[in-house]
Amino acid sequence: MNPFDVIDETCVTQFDDCADVIVVGLGIAGACAAIEAKRAGGDVIAVERASAGGGASALSSGLFYLGGGTAVQQACGYSDDAQNMYQFMIASMGSDNAQAVRQYCDQNVEHFNWLEQQGVPFERSCYKDKAVFLMGTEGLLSTGNEKVWPYRELARPVPRGHQVTGEGESTGNAAMQPLLQVCSELGVRGYYDTRVQALITDQSGTVVGVKTQQGGDTRFLKANKGVVLATGGFAMNPDMVQLHLQGLSATAEALGSAYSDGSGIQLGVAAGADTDAMQNYIATASIYPPGQLIKGIIVNESGQRFVAEDSYHGRTAEFIAKQSNQRAFLIVDSEIFAYPEIETARHQLIDGYETIEEMEQALAMPKDALVATLNQYNTAARDGVDPDFMKHPEWLKPLDQGPYAAFYISFSQSIYLYMTLGGLKTNANAQVLNSKGIAIPGLYAAGACSAHIPKSGASYASGMSLGPGSFFGRVAGRHIMSSNEDTP
Ligand SMILES: Cc1cc2nc3c(=O)[nH]c(=O)nc-3n(C[C@H](O)[C@H](O)[C@H](O)COP(=O)(O)OP(=O)(O)OC[C@H]3O[C@@H](n4cnc5c(N)ncnc54)[C@H](O)[C@@H]3O)c2cc1C
């Protein structure tokens, strides 16, 4: 049940404050929306539930999925262009949002430049090995399925994970601090420790304001041009997770800030918004780094392979989630043996075995199943091919140097972290759509409270939250100031 209601403007006796634009939530999407609306001449209020802006964006690893020939790509010797990026995104993420994807790709270099102009730093250097995020300061790494078959044949593979230069794991903060600073310098007015509790609509259904709660104080804020919802995802709302993410393992752990509780989605739905991809999530417990583990094979409890092991970790997780009991094992030989380095994943070494027959028995697999899988894989790998899953030749080697080892990488034994991908349905102007596909006047959404472009873990690439979140936040801020007309 939706705990939020919509308030009819006629029930509001007096507004306590007024602005052209009200931005709800000051993470990456909200900050970018506020900056652009302010620069377009608007008076902007940002309402933020926490004591300061930042949200999950500040906790993040600071990876932005950007391309089309950014200065970092160029400095690192990669040739990318908008069309190449578009072809990859459409092939791997689907064509549902083709117009938004087109716009994202066409304007990506400009967007990268804009982020840098606001003070978001990206080093001109590249990390060439496989990693989930970087503890170093390199500005570029591969974070998606670009080199995974069939995508490598449909678009020229190039790295597009742009990592903000910062210290430690939460480099997202190095992006948020300058953006929040710009908001403050431009005069965006902030209401902090303040939660938006309802949208206010006029008789035509146009969103004209918000009701807020700060401690015991209730306020009504008028928005002359409209409201941008930028409140983040819903991984921290157990009721929504239970309702929507029915395929998610009970042992998976949510990623987000304490306030990633879906309130923006519920606020929008109360005002007539449609949602998209609410059942989808991206889970992660990467087997890499180190990259050499990709040369192993991943099998299910029947001893069969089911995914190309060089897939992006979110894609691998999605395939594991579809296996019987969501169980899987990583099998390596002594030549490539190493422990998986992502500590949060807690992939456990099961044991070492002199022979594959011994391993197969210990893992309670059907007799000869794993032996047959390994024989078939090794025969092809000696020829540098993987006809079953088309793993890239750079990750192929016969696994024939015993002893052998197996790791648990099941949902029940490892720790999978997840983020939600579903949210409010929006168009390429970041306008929120109703169930007829028509924009709700005065209502915009960006970031993780709107449905992501990649609608599954299999199609996700790291940086596809901060990249589009910042981009469509800007789109919302500009569009809201330029027009209030309905566009489908
Ligand atoms: C550990 C971690 C690592 C990650 N790494 C990456 C990465 O490298 N790259 C990437 O693309 N994605 C990453 N993500 C995901 C990404 O951080 C989020 O999807 C993204 O930051 C969402 O941005 P946002 O602006 O939509 O929401 P947020 O940044 O969460 O901002 C939403 C804001 O709204 C406020 N708010 C919520 N409800 C209300 C309300 N009712 N009223 C007022 N304010 C409200 C919140 O307090 C918050 O400040 C990571 C996430 C985590 C947790």
Side-chain angles (χ1 to χ4, degrees), residues 244-268:
H244 297 290
L245 305 188
Q246 298 195 345
L248 179 71
S249 162
T251 57
E253 293 181 7
L255 269 177
S257 86
Y259 297 141
S260 306
D261 65 0
S263 64
I265 300 173
Q266 293 173 319
L267 287 163

Side-chain angles (χ1 to χ4, degrees), residues 262 358 414 473 485:
E358 222 182 293
S414 300
E485 286 168 21

